[in-house]
Amino acid sequence: MALEQNVRIFMDKFHMISPGDKVLVGVSGGPDSVALLHLLWRMKEELQISLAVAHLNHMFRGEEARADARLVEGLAKNLGLPVHVEEFDVPAYRERTGLSAQDAARRVRYRFFEEVARRTGASRVALGHHADDQAETILFNFLRGTGLAGLKGIPPVRGKYIRPLLDIRRREIEDYCREHSLPVREDASNKKTIYTRNRIRLELIPRLEADYNPRLVDALVHLGHICREENDYLEEQAALLYGRALKTQKEHYLRFAVTELLSSPPALVRRVLRRAWRHLTGEVDLSYLQVESLLALLHNPAGGKVVELPRGVRASRQGQVLRLWIGGDAPGVPDYSYPLEVPGITYIPEINSSIKARLISIDEAPDPRFLSAREALLDFDTLPGLLAVRRRRDGDRFHPLGMAARTKLKKFLIEQGIPREERDCLPLVVAGDEIIWVGGVRPGEPWKVTPETKRCLYLQILEGKVPGAKIIETGP
């Protein structure tokens, strides 16, 4: 009864099951999955759930595997539960894909669970991983040099997958099976030390328990709980940083604000870089050395260097922008031109920025000397035409504040040290044919505020699409 109570408490802690759920139980025929099925069967009335059983023969062990399937079918029949048993030639799949035996089996097994859950309408898939599996996984990940994400081990809940036995020791599960006379089968491959995980389970953990810590498994399980909670918190913070630093996000192209990243803790920046990698590739993670190469790039103010990463991903820093993309050269900013909302906020999707424009009296105006490069104050009544915001174009000319005459915009940007890759990312606010502000750099001389100014146009560049921004429809 103590085991059943502990499982129920663990399930409640992680909100694994709700009344009305249909739970598909993956049963291999081993003690862990058999005990899980029996426990859920005993609780099903109290939990108000329905159960179904799923078993996949991976076709590695011939008659032994078929005997496993027969045992699962018989157990489900005795419990009055529907059972879904299928075969898949994993050895042939492994040959085609080049995967290891264990990885190939895992991928096929989860695909099988997904399909059966879809067919049966199951909202949860219960699996029999236990505390010894958790300790083995954490130790395996530690030996690979993983971070918190690996040391958190197997998650109690991941999407529809739940693991009610994850805090229960293997010996408790085996005692439960004996107490209830449950039929079980042992997979002989679990005893083969050709697999790293098996050597950890059969050789390393017993040695560490004997010579260093008899409660090693409990210690590793506790470590997993701590690392999972701290990893979840850091992931939440990294998601916030990702949103603040992101300047452009497309399917195969990302741009981040270097200053935002460099002002943040490295622990969060590493996670932002891994998120960027996942966005571009769909892959789970980068290696430690690959992440460090991106960090080194981020800290290199000279820029120009391109870091080559797997899956065709490239990265470079240009000025205050970190770019990651797939393919050849990083894509440029497409041409755009939008009417400027005055007063109001105009969103520019091509550079994922917004221009906020306000009309204020000279008495309300801030001192132009103390404005940042992302702000501008102009004499509204001297502007020579309708206001718009657009990308730079060939032949653009500009009269910068503090200079005696107009000059080529390209020449001006070169003299200001703006890298070529960043120039198209600067929003130009224009009045008619005149550039009145090179956003992020400098306003125009002819429209500066003077003692005769009565109304001021106050402009700000804001990151991303801010609340209240007007989105201009550009057509198909």
Side-chain angles (χ1 to χ4, degrees):
M1 180 62 88
L3 177 63
E4 186 171 329
Q5 288 176 339
N6 290 337
V7 171
R8 180 62 191 272
I9 290 170
F10 189 73
M11 291 170 61
D12 289 344
K13 178 180 179 180
F14 291 99
H15 311 290
M16 291 187 178
I17 290 176
S18 301
D21 279 341
K22 183 167 189 177
V23 181
L24 182 68
V25 187
V27 183
S28 67
D32 45 6
S33 58
V34 167
L36 173 62
L37 176 63
H38 193 261
L39 281 162
L40 292 176
W41 177 76
R42 285 163 57 93
M43 298 182 199
K44 66 184 179 66
E45 300 301 330
E46 178 188 0
L47 295 172
Q48 302 177 49
I49 60 174
S50 59
L51 298 173
V53 179
H55 174 88
L56 181 67
N57 177 359
H58 301 83
M59 300 179 69
F60 275 122
R61 297 180 295 115
E63 180 54 35
E64 281 188 39
R66 287 189 284 273
D68 293 347
R70 289 194 293 271
L71 180 144
V72 173
E73 287 180 311
L75 178 61
K77 181 179 179 180
N78 290 338
L79 297 177
L81 301 175
V83 59
H84 305 267
V85 176
E86 295 182 17
E87 294 182 348
F88 190 94
D89 192 344
V90 177
Y93 174 73
R94 179 192 175 195
E95 288 294 323
R96 292 195 305 271
T97 60
L99 297 169
S100 68
Q102 290 185 323
D103 193 21
R106 182 184 61 81
R107 293 191 184 196
V108 169
R109 185 165 58 252
Y110 278 91
R111 189 185 306 160
F112 165 69
F113 289 145
E114 289 289 333
E115 175 59 23
V116 177
R118 186 191 64 79
R119 290 201 315 257
T120 60
S123 52
R124 295 287 184 270
V125 178
L127 303 177
H129 298 98
H130 48 70
D132 295 75
D133 293 326
Q134 181 72 299
E136 170 194 320
T137 298
I138 292 171
L139 198 51
F140 176 77
N141 288 339
F142 169 77
L143 294 173
R144 293 169 56 218
T146 187
L148 281 180
L151 294 180
K152 70 181 183 180
I154 306 168
V157 178
R158 180 176 61 83
K160 66 168 65 73
Y161 293 92
I162 60 173
R163 297 174 173 87
L165 303 183
L166 203 53
D167 262 10
I168 307 298
R169 293 297 307 271
R170 179 186 290 114
R171 60 175 177 266
E172 297 178 79
I173 292 170
E174 292 171 345
D175 289 344
Y176 180 89
C177 290
R178 284 191 291 270
E179 178 185 348
H180 293 277
S181 301
L182 298 176
V184 299
R185 288 181 59 82
E186 289 288 355
D187 183 343
S189 66
N190 289 334
K191 302 297 183 183
K192 296 179 179 179
T193 55
I194 59 173
Y195 303 119
T196 301
R197 285 183 175 274
N198 286 2
R199 292 200 303 275
I200 291 172
R201 182 174 65 253
L202 300 173
E203 298 173 355
L204 182 57
I205 288 180
R207 178 68 180 271
L208 293 173
E209 286 179 322
D211 295 348
Y212 296 94
N213 183 357
R215 296 182 61 83
L216 176 71
V217 170
D218 291 337
L220 290 172
V221 169
H222 297 159
L223 174 65
H225 287 316
I226 293 169
C227 289
R228 182 180 62 255
E229 292 172 356
E230 296 191 358
N231 184 75
D232 290 348
Y233 172 75
L234 289 173
E235 279 297 304
E236 290 175 3
Q237 298 304 307
L240 296 175
L241 174 58
Y242 188 100
R244 293 197 305 270
L246 184 66
K247 296 174 70 68
T248 302
Q249 176 169 296
K250 298 182 180 179
E251 184 178 0
H252 298 302
Y253 179 54
L254 297 170
R255 295 171 66 248
F256 294 94
V258 167
T259 51
E260 189 72 49
L261 295 177
L262 289 182
S263 64
S264 302
L268 297 183
V269 177
R270 288 188 179 95
R271 290 167 183 267
V272 167
L273 296 174
R274 292 189 181 105
R275 280 174 171 262
W277 166 261
R278 290 196 295 269
H279 171 83
L280 291 173
T281 67
E283 298 290 329
V284 174
D285 218 344
L286 285 169
S287 72
Y288 169 81
L289 292 179
Q290 289 161 346
V291 173
E292 292 304 299
S293 70
L294 290 175
L295 278 177
L297 183 67
L298 191 61
H299 285 83
N300 180 11
K305 180 181 178 182
V306 175
V307 170
E308 304 280 351
L309 298 168
R311 300 286 188 257
V313 175
R314 308 175 79 191
S316 71
R317 173 179 169 176
Q318 299 294 339
Q320 296 305 306
V321 175
L322 177 72
R323 305 179 303 157
L324 294 94
W325 71 96
I326 292 179
D329 294 332
V333 176
D335 187 37
Y336 67 85
S337 179
Y338 301 119
L340 191 70
E341 289 290 303
V342 182
I345 304 173
T346 305
Y347 176 56
I348 311 165
E350 288 79 3
I351 58 173
N352 192 33
S353 295
S354 299
I355 301 289
K356 183 176 182 180
R358 294 165 53 201
L359 284 179
I360 57 178
S361 70
I362 190 65
D363 296 330
E364 300 174 275
D367 190 329
R369 295 174 298 175
F370 301 118
L371 295 180
S372 71
R374 298 174 67 82
E375 299 171 281
L377 196 66
L378 302 165
D379 187 330
F380 181 73
D381 294 311
T382 63
L383 298 180
L386 296 176
L387 296 175
V389 57
R390 65 169 174 83
R391 199 197 74 169
R392 73 181 184 118
R393 295 168 184 164
D394 291 341
D396 274 339
R397 298 181 68 84
F398 174 55
H399 189 170
L401 181 68
M403 294 181 64
R406 285 157 52 97
T407 182
K408 290 182 178 179
L409 178 61
K410 179 179 179 180
K411 179 175 181 291
F412 170 72
L413 294 177
I414 291 172
E415 291 172 347
Q416 297 304 306
I418 308 297
R420 177 174 57 84
E421 291 79 5
E422 289 187 39
R423 294 170 200 163
D424 288 344
C425 300
L426 300 173
L428 305 184
V429 177
V430 299
D433 295 328
E434 294 286 351
I435 298 172
I436 62 172
W437 182 38
V438 179
V441 184
R442 194 180 300 183
E445 170 72 21
W447 307 283
K448 67 183 179 183
V449 172
T450 69
E452 288 73 36
T453 299
K454 293 182 173 57
R455 291 190 298 171
C456 298
L457 176 64
Y458 179 45
L459 301 171
Q460 293 173 281
I461 299 176
L462 306 174
E463 291 291 341
K465 182 172 62 177
V466 300
K470 181 172 182 179
I471 302 173
I472 309 297
E473 296 293 339
T474 57

